[in-house]
Amino acid sequence: MSEKELVRFHIDGLEVEAAKGQMLLPVALEYGVEIPHLCYHEAVSSYGACRLCLVEVTKGGRTRMTTSCNYPVEAGIEVAVSTENVQRARRMILELLLARAPHSEKIRTMAQEAGVEEARFRVLDVDDCILCGLCERVCREVVKANAITFVNRGDRREVAPPFGDPLACIACGACVYVCPTDCIKMEERGDERTIVRWKRTLKMQPCQSCGKPFAPLFQLNWIIDRAHLPKDFYALCPVCRKTKKG
Ligand code: SF4
Ligand code: SF4
Ligand code: FES
């Protein structure tokens, strides 16, 4: 297998090294350079949706502003992460995001840190979703359930189960975990788990030892089928499984 070509370049004057073609944002984060970001997650492909990870890149004497999560690095580029231009653009983006997701703790904190107190824009039907697509990518690329997708265009664009039918959702909660605005809620009542945003409720399997319901039966069987595991692989909850092993 061929070794990846390593390239050197500068981020805010700091010399860094990375594999050619690697995206700029993870390289910066690895070197401890903070760049605000919302739609990037190391577990899934980059999508460049929130525009928050803007930086200025100088290459061959020309400087341009670009999102860093989907910018492949090259030898000799000079990256500046918080120039006046970048800060101004970031503030504008945060105002827009704040208008879309006014209840998001994360966005409010980011906006405050950037000096944005209030959004001048108004968005009707606010539901705190910034259309970052992280939930859709994690469901498709990691969980591989393809239970949700982007639907509609323009103002009506949203992430939802295809044709409004959440039947493919295994209620694993991965989308809940990655959503940067916390607008996908998961509730557990008795032996049922509900992913509120997708209107999906599934019965949970009780642990054969302690009796506590611990995960949706549909999810466990789905994993067992795909990974060719023994049928009783998930008979015990994680706690009893650990105790038994110990
Ligand atoms: S809870 Fe449903 S929609 Fe969310 S990642 Fe799991 S399968 Fe996909
Ligand atoms: S529901 Fe959350 S993760 Fe999904 S697109 Fe909206 S903000 Fe992003
Ligand atoms: S993190 Fe780069 S565009 Fe969202």
Side-chain angles (χ1 to χ4, degrees), residues 25 35-41 50-53 93-94 97 104 106-107 110 130 132 134 137 178-181:
L25 177 63
I35 299 175
H37 57 277
L38 279 171
C39 71
Y40 168 80
H41 193 287
C50 72
R51 321 303 294 170
L52 204 55
C53 64
I93 292 161
L94 277 165
L97 292 170
S104 160
K106 192 166 183 171
I107 292 181
M110 282 177 139
I130 56 166
C132 73
L134 267 180
R137 277 174 286 152
V178 293
C179 176
T181 65

Side-chain angles (χ1 to χ4, degrees), residues 26-195:
V27 178
L29 297 176
E30 201 180 301
Y31 276 89
V33 179
E34 234 351 282
I35 299 175
H37 57 277
L38 279 171
C39 71
Y40 168 80
H41 193 287
E42 67 275 11
V44 294
S45 58
S46 294
Y47 182 51
C50 72
R51 321 303 294 170
L52 204 55
C53 64
L54 284 177
V55 294
E56 275 188 337
V57 176
T58 304
K59 183 175 135 187
R62 287 190 59 200
T63 301
R64 72 177 178 106
M65 217 185 288
T66 178
T67 46
S68 57
C69 67
N70 52 3
Y71 186 91
V73 301
E74 290 173 64
I77 54 171
E78 298 283 338
V79 180
V81 306
S82 69
T83 60
E84 273 296 314
N85 282 345
V86 166
Q87 287 186 40
R88 201 176 312 117
R90 217 175 262 157
R91 277 197 294 273
M92 180 63 84
I93 292 161
L94 277 165
E95 265 197 69
L96 288 164
L97 292 170
L98 196 57
R100 287 204 81 105
H103 310 104
S104 160
E105 205 49 54
K106 192 166 183 171
I107 292 181
R108 276 157 54 152
T109 308
M110 282 177 139
Q112 225 165 29
E113 281 169 4
V116 176
E117 293 301 330
E118 226 182 299
R120 281 168 296 171
F121 316 101
R122 278 202 60 205
V123 171
L124 299 173
D125 298 331
V126 156
D127 70 351
D128 287 335
C129 173
I130 56 166
L131 297 176
C132 73
L134 267 180
C135 53
E136 187 272 339
R137 277 174 286 152
V138 86
C139 186
R140 178 167 44 86
E141 296 178 16
V142 181
V143 182
K144 300 193 187 305
N146 291 309
I148 46 177
T149 184
F150 275 100
V151 295
N152 302 328
R153 285 172 189 274
D155 285 0
R156 295 182 56 238
R157 189 162 161 82
E158 61 171 337
V159 179
F163 309 106
D165 184 347
L167 273 187
C169 173
I170 60 172
C172 64
C175 55
V176 179
Y177 178 76
V178 293
C179 176
T181 65
D182 281 332
C183 70
I184 312 172
K185 303 285 182 213
M186 182 164 87
E187 286 173 0
E188 288 187 355
R189 285 209 184 104
D191 65 349
E192 283 184 345
R193 177 186 288 177
T194 299
I195 309 293

